[in-house]
Amino acid sequence: RRELIVAIDGPSGAGKSTLSKLLARALNYTNIDTGAMYRCVALAAFRRGIDPADEESLGSLGRSVRIEFLRSNGGERVLLDGEDVSAAIRTPEISLLTSRVSACLAVREAMVELQRRMGEKGGVVLEGRDIGTVVFPGAEAKFFLAASAKERGRRRYEELCAKGHDVDLAQTVSEVEARDAADSAREHAPLVQAPDAVAIDSTVMTIDEVLAVMLEEVRKRR
Ligand code: C5P
């Protein structure tokens, strides 16, 4: 049995985080949420008052922040320079800012380097937008997880409500659409499906159904 690199890419709200965690657990692999890394850079930029158009400052910020994943019983925590920012990075404001910050090439270079270091030995599931295309184009198993924009917006809405955010469904759907449009249209590492990725549309599938498809594909490659 080989320890593979598994890539899960797709737009927001398609179920990447949920499936990535479940798949990693089922395979006894490490799960790496690359979106959380870009969110950390965005939060740090916001707190320091850095203009999202200031690429030079963003780049040096991206190279200097310390991002760690902590796996505890209460789930996975994200630490930014030692501080638990798991909740702070998931607000709607930081989500939109992250989309702008992640378009900066110097930020991407810094994150990609970290991601390659974390994943190069295999035994990892990485989820993001450019894992199968840029970070690990040689990943043994690649998935492109999609769902209709309406369904993705609804899922994000439920998620935010559950966390106590006061949000509006129509606005959440349009924010999700705006973020995907920006992620797909950007110059560096846009969101695209890798030619060798297995495409899964989760619109009308249960989590267990998607997980079963992924496990089967991974088993074929081990
Ligand atoms: O996956 P998540 O919604 O947490 O990602 C937040 C944002 O981070 C995305 O909208 C995208 O702009 C950026 N991102 C990226 N490349 C990745 C992962 C996330 O540009 N590999």
Side-chain angles (χ1 to χ4, degrees):
R1 273 231 203 130
R2 294 185 303 141
E3 296 274 277
L4 310 186
I5 294 176
V6 181
I8 305 181
D9 291 304
S12 41
K16 296 190 304 294
S17 297
T18 305
L19 267 308
S20 174
K21 281 190 199 109
L22 291 174
L23 188 62
R25 196 180 305 157
L27 297 167
N28 201 18
Y29 280 14
T30 302
N31 169 47
I32 301 171
D33 175 357
T34 66
M37 299 171 71
Y38 289 97
R39 286 171 181 273
C40 281
V41 179
L43 180 66
F46 174 75
R47 287 176 170 177
R48 287 168 172 77
I50 295 174
D51 180 346
D54 180 355
E55 305 225 345
E56 208 180 304
S57 301
L58 284 182
S60 51
L61 181 64
R63 288 185 293 273
S64 66
V65 287
R66 189 159 49 89
I67 300 168
E68 296 158 285
F69 292 105
L70 205 74
R71 278 152 252 274
S72 65
N73 294 336
E76 191 173 283
R77 314 303 297 173
V78 186
L79 305 189
L80 168 61
D81 295 322
E83 176 196 345
D84 185 341
V85 294
S86 313
I89 59 171
R90 309 239 170 246
T91 65
E93 295 74 28
I94 294 300
S95 297
L96 288 174
L97 182 63
T98 303
S99 205
R100 292 191 65 188
V101 166
S102 72
C104 170
L105 180 60
V107 169
R108 301 208 68 82
E109 285 173 343
M111 295 304 112
V112 168
E113 192 187 321
L114 289 176
Q115 291 155 17
R116 287 187 179 144
R117 234 185 285 149
M118 291 191 262
E120 66 194 355
K121 294 200 180 71
V124 286
V125 181
L126 295 106
E127 55 124 332
R129 303 291 185 289
D130 61 340
I131 309 303
T133 49
V134 174
V135 184
F136 286 111
E140 290 89 351
K142 297 182 186 178
F143 298 99
F144 193 85
L145 191 57
S148 73
K150 203 171 145 215
E151 174 62 13
R152 293 184 292 107
R154 194 194 61 76
R155 290 177 190 170
R156 196 36 58 89
Y157 171 78
E158 303 275 323
E159 211 174 275
L160 289 168
C161 286
K163 284 182 190 155
H165 290 280
D166 181 21
V167 286
D168 175 75
L169 177 59
Q171 193 187 333
T172 307
V173 172
S174 67
E175 278 176 7
V176 160
E177 284 178 325
R179 190 144 64 91
D180 293 336
D183 291 344
S184 305
R186 72 184 175 208
E187 182 184 358
H188 310 294
L191 170 66
V192 282
Q193 185 180 326
D196 54 345
V198 176
I200 304 174
D201 184 335
S202 74
T203 308
V204 295
M205 290 172 82
T206 66
I207 291 167
D208 286 342
E209 285 168 344
V210 179
L211 181 63
V213 172
M214 289 182 163
L215 277 172
E216 180 55 31
E217 292 291 334
V218 171
R219 285 195 181 114
K220 278 195 243 165
R221 291 162 170 81
R222 281 213 272 194

